[in-house]
Amino acid sequence: MSDVVSIRGPVSAGRRRPAPVASGARNQLADAQRCLAQAMAATDLADRYVAAHLGALRGAAAILAMRPHPTSRTLKNASAWVQLEKVAPEYADWATYFAAGSAKRKAAEAGITRLITTDEVDQLIRQTADFLDLVASSLRAAA
């Protein structure tokens, strides 16, 4: 493989800069992990739900940043969960699970908490943690 060339010129021999997509994926994963930490630290039920769900969404964005996107206009306008299911079918069950919580996240963002329970939020946090572990493994494998 030849040396990577950036806007600033060739990279010195033996040192390569990460590809922009890989860098974007790592940034998305870092954001996702921060959201998860916020969800775990928050005391308000709505804040916990929103932060956990946004963490999962950023995890999906990390996967999408690593994968080539279809040029279909329909898919480009689809939710991250629909895109994830199409672009990375091995994450289809995760996409279905998190997509089901999107309306509840929007309600929680609006301060409506009657739709969520403490147990449901705890489960979402656990599922998000598991999902982000898989995303991190995918990023390491792709590096």
Side-chain angles (χ1 to χ4, degrees), residues 102-113:
S102 293
K104 288 182 181 183
R105 186 198 77 235
K106 289 176 187 173
E109 286 173 325
I112 302 168
T113 59

Side-chain angles (χ1 to χ4, degrees), residues 1 5 8 11 13 21 34 42-43 48 61 64 67 72 80 92 97 102 106 111 113 115-117 122 125 127 141:
M1 185 174 217
V5 177
R8 294 184 185 122
V11 175
V21 171
R34 281 190 288 276
T43 56
R48 293 179 72 217
L64 292 172
R67 304 281 175 102
S72 162
Y97 173 78
S102 293
K106 289 176 187 173
T113 59
L115 303 176
I116 53 177
T117 66
D122 290 343
I125 290 171
Q127 294 291 357

Side-chain angles (χ1 to χ4, degrees), residues 6 34 48 60 66 74 82 87 99 106 122 138:
S6 72
R34 281 190 288 276
R48 293 179 72 217
M66 292 187 330
T74 303
V82 171
V87 171
K106 289 176 187 173
D122 290 343
S138 293

Side-chain angles (χ1 to χ4, degrees), residues 36-135:
L36 179 59
Q38 289 173 349
M40 294 168 68
T43 56
D44 180 77
L45 196 61
D47 290 344
R48 293 179 72 217
Y49 194 93
V50 169
H53 198 272
L54 288 176
L57 190 58
R58 285 176 173 79
I63 293 295
L64 292 172
M66 292 187 330
R67 304 281 175 102
H69 289 68
T71 56
S72 162
R73 185 177 287 199
T74 303
L75 192 56
K76 282 183 180 181
N77 293 328
S79 75
W81 304 120
V82 171
Q83 290 182 42
L84 183 65
E85 188 173 348
K86 299 295 183 196
V87 171
E90 67 273 23
Y91 290 98
D93 289 342
W94 290 105
T96 300
Y97 173 78
F98 290 118
S102 293
K104 288 182 181 183
R105 186 198 77 235
K106 289 176 187 173
E109 286 173 325
I112 302 168
T113 59
R114 71 179 183 276
L115 303 176
I116 53 177
T117 66
T118 301
D119 289 341
E120 184 177 19
V121 173
D122 290 343
Q123 179 184 8
L124 177 63
I125 290 171
R126 285 190 302 273
Q127 294 291 357
T128 299
D130 290 347
F131 176 63
L132 295 181
D133 284 346
L134 289 173
V135 171

